């Protein structure tokens, strides 16, 4: 199927619109001072559909990396802020680049083009553009290049994407005899005919498409349009996509009270990700009215409030699913799996045909390609895998080098490694495999009518919206587990009357924050059975997601926390008469103390007792100040550059271990912390925190100049003025921090690290905590975990006293650690005087850490 480029003319603005633009020209402010690790670019302009894409396009065409963005374009005004860095993740300091950004973004040509088509084609005699879409197959690019070579067409620039068995390519070709565009109509027709035969493919129901024109285009935007028109999003089965957690996670939902559709995207971060998303939304005729973009290490989070260009939100399930698939495809098209090869060789007719022929003969498939000519040299980048989908081995690379002769070839990633880093795997205690049969999930609503509507979450809640999974093991000598499910379920319904927000669902407020919609639909409850005795699961003193994860219910297909109910419970019965309660709770609902009070209240209800600590539901006592007042430097949010390349170390197998510190050993650590006289005294927590901070830093082999951060939570309930009410239902903890270099931390004695922990504790006052809440209010920043140790302490929480009528749990603990940077302090032993230190480290680092724990 052949055609021509679509042309979309913009209507001439009326005279009033012209006047508004003349009175309010675009304004760009570039700030290299206010942010420590990025250049801040603020853009203000009269609003018009497509402006956001134009701005993002200018920035990404300069290969700038957009770390954060805040988008506001409601009504007639466009106001956006972008935090950008160069390719090395440094601030943009080049004066020519900064000048180009300002001139380009303030240009009327950028913001208010008079007449242009949807891909920016302009008249030119320099080259001929060839667009191709069709079914992908091994050797396709080689066949295309061979045809062009026989027709004396020289490929000077090209880009090819493949996705879901489809392929799209834009090739810039010249006439070999004139070095200009191909002008002979008969010759163009012949090229069309030959390439059309190549694209006919293997009985493809969607015939290949092709277009030829003279001109230039924004290649990457055009590739998105071509693949969207080719329906590349249809190839993935929706059910399979939902089960693959490595794929981008896209959620589309209605915004309460406002006439918006909310789009939330979570994916691996990469260059030009924002461009790919905005390009697709724009081409699908959606307008972004508000948005937030952030990236932390390798993870990207994007949130948009959109409407169709006609002013209406998405109003059908079909349209919602269509948008999700299109956005997933937009993210995946540029994602590169397999081996990245860069080649630099002499330019010449047929050189590209020869290179792609060598790839095909070595059994390689081209997943993506970028082809250009620079100074008489061909500079190409190919992303390759074996036709079978396996990674390319070293022997194949050597074969390619031999066949391409003097070609300069560089391998971007190790061909001996898989294309994706190995998943973190837990160290197994033994060969025992727990088999659990789960029943169908049921909803348990409150036993009585409860309040409905939106329930406020504080800024302290917003910062720790992660899922925490815990298990409680019960076995009584007096009774079996026959009534366990019935008792637990009925008691849950009753206790939810007091804790009714747990029966609601998380959503997004008008301010773009998490909020609970108190629908009363209920918590999720699952009954399960294990074909073994409770003793078979062994000691759960350390996290073991492989085994313990089967005792907690995961909501299938949930792509983000908005799709997971705040409270999910599973009761698993064992053959011995014991049972395990597995809980999955969102941390934004309460901290450790609040969770403990809830579980104990549930147990009291199961035993027919009144609540000893009724929940204090009103969280508005912790609203941020108006206006916000940030009176402290909040280094807990500071992003640290990983100069030690510790992410490479984390590609090793992860080992999870627990280290028990009995009272005698704890006393020994405290004595060592004060033996040099630098400190008069210290608490057990401060001594242990300093010890593990130093040990983990040394075990990870951080460079002396590497900044490292200690983070831990301090209970602020008694530190607020006035103190929080008893039974406060929410997060009353505040993160505090200490920051220094690894070299300083390891060169100084233990007292230095312990002293830094002491200072961090003392820093937490009423003013500090309110400043932290106000800091989030103004920045929406979240704590960065690069080169960071985050300590969570449960050593003072009395989960061991929970009793549902079967006595206290024989053991309890977390299923896994929420992040690799987290270390958990957990009370241990019958008298709860020992502390278990639970953590996960790469295998080589764990060996060294274990040596350092020998005190």
């Amino acid at each position: 199927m052949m055609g021509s480029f679509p042309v979309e003319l913009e209507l001439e603005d009326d005279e009033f619109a012209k006047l508004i633009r003349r009175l309010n020209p675009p304004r760009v402010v570039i700030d290299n001072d206010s942010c420590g690790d990025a250049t801040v670019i603020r853009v203000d302009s009269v609003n018009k559909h497509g402006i956001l894409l134009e701005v993002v396009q200018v920035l990404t065409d300069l290969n700038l990396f957009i770390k954060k963005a805040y988008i506001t374009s409601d009504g007639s005004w466009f106001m956006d802020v972008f935090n950008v860095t160069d390719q090395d993740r440094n601030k943009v300091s080049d004066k020519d680049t900064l000048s180009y950004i300002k001139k380009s973004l303030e240009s009327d040509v950028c913001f208010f083009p008079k007449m242009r088509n949807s891909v920016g084609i302009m008249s030119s005699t320099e080259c001929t553009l060839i667009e191709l879409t069709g079914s992908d197959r091994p050797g396709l690019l080689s066949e295309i290049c061979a045809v062009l070579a026989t027709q004396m067409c020289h490929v000077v620039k090209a880009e090819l994407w493949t996705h879901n068995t489809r392929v799209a390519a834009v090739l810039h070709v010249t006439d070999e005899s004139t070095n200009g565009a191909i002008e002979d109509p008969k010759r163009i027709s012949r090229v069309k005919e030959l390439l059309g035969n190549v694209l006919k493919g293997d009985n493809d129901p969607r015939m290949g498409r092709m277009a030829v024109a003279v001109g230039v285009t924004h290649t990457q935007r055009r590739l998105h349009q071509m693949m969207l028109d080719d329906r590349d999003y249809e190839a993935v089965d929706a059910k399979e996509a939902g089960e693959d957690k490595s794929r981008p996670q896209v959620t589309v939902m209605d915004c309460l009270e406002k006439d918006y559709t909310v789009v939330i995207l979570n994916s691996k971060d990469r260059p030009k990700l924002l461009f790919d998303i905005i390009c697709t939304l724009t081409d699908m005729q959606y307008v972004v009215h508000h948005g937030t973009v952030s990236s932390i290490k390798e993870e990207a989070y994007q949130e948009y409030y959109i409407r169709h260009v006609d002013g209406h939100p998405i109003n059908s399930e079909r349209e919602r699913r269509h948008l999700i698939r299109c956005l997933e495809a937009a993210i995946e098209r540029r994602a590169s799996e397999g081996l990245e090869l860069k080649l630099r060789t002499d330019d010449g007719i047929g050189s590209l045909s020869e290179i792609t022929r060598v790839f095909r003969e070595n059994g390689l498939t081209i997943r993506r390609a970028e082809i250009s000519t620079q100074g008489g040299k061909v500079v190409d980048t190919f992303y390759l895998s074996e036709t079978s989908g396996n990674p390319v081995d070293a022997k194949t690379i050597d074969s390619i080098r031999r066949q391409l002769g003097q070609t300069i070839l560089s391998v971007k990633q190790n061909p001996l490694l898989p294309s994706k880093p190995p998943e973190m795997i837990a160290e197994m205690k033994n060969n025992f495999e727990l088999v659990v049969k789960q029943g169908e999930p049921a909803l348990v609503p409150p036993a009585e009518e409860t309040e409905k509507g939106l329930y406020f979450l504080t800024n302290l809640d917003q910062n720790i919206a992660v899922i925490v999974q815990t298990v409680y093991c019960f076995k009584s000598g007096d009774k079996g587990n026959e009534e366990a499910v019935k008792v637990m379920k009925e008691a849950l319904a009753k206790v939810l009357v007091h804790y009714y927000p747990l029966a609601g669902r998380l959503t997004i407020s008008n301010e773009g924050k998490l909020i609970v919609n108190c629908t009363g639909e209920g918590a999720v409850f699952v009954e399960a059975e294990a074909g073994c005795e409770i003793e078979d699961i062994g000691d759960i003193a350390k996290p073991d997601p492989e085994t313990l994860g089967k005792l907690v219910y995961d909501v299938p297909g949930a792509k983000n926390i908005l799709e997971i109910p705040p409270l999910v419970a599973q009761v698993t019965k064992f053959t011995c008469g014991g049972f395990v309660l597995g809980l999955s709770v969102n941390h934004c609902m309460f901290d450790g103390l609040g969770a403990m009070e809830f579980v104990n209240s549930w147990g009291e209800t199961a035993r027919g007792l009144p609540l000893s600590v009724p929940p204090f539901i009103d969280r508005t006592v912790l609203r941020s100040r108006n206006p916000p007042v940030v009176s402290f430097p909040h280094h807990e949010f500071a992003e640290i550059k990983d100069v030690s390349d510790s992410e490479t170390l984390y590609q090793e197998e992860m080992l999870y271990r627990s280290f028990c510190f009995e009272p005698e050993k704890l006393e020994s650590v405290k004595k060592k912390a004060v033996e040099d006289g630098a400190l008069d005294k210290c608490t057990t927590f401060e001594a242990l925190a300093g010890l593990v901070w130093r040990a983990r830093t040394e075990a990870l082999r951080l460079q002396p100049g590497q900044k490292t951060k200690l983070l831990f939570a301090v209970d602020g309930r008694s530190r607020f003025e006035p103190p929080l009410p008893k039974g406060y239902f929410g997060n009353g903890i505040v993160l505090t921090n200490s920051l220094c270099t690894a070299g300083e931390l390891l060169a100084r004695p233990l007292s230095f690290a312990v002293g830094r922990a002491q200072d961090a504790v003392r820093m937490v006052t009423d003013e500090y905590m309110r400043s932290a809440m106000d800091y989030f209010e103004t920045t929406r920043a979240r704590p960065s975990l690069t080169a960071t140790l985050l300590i969570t302490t449960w050593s003072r929480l009395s989960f061991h006293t929970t009793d549902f009528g079967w006595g206290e749990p024989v053991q309890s603990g977390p299923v896994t650690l929420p992040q690799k940077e987290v270390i958990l302090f957990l009370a241990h032993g019958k008298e709860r005087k020992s502390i278990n230190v639970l953590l996960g480290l790469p295998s080589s680092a764990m060996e060294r850490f274990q040596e350092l724990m020998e005190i």
Side-chain angles (χ1 to χ4, degrees), residues 5 121-131 153-158 170-176 178-183 188 211-219 373:
F5 292 100
I121 296 176
M122 296 177 290
S123 176
S124 171
T125 59
E126 293 181 357
C127 64
T128 298
L129 265 65
I130 299 177
E131 292 185 351
C153 298
H154 181 42
V155 179
V156 295
K157 183 180 178 183
V170 175
L171 299 93
H172 299 239
V173 302
T174 59
D175 187 327
E176 181 65 14
T178 65
N179 289 326
I182 303 172
E183 299 177 348
I188 291 176
V212 178
V214 176
V216 295
T217 180
H218 190 278
T219 301
T373 54

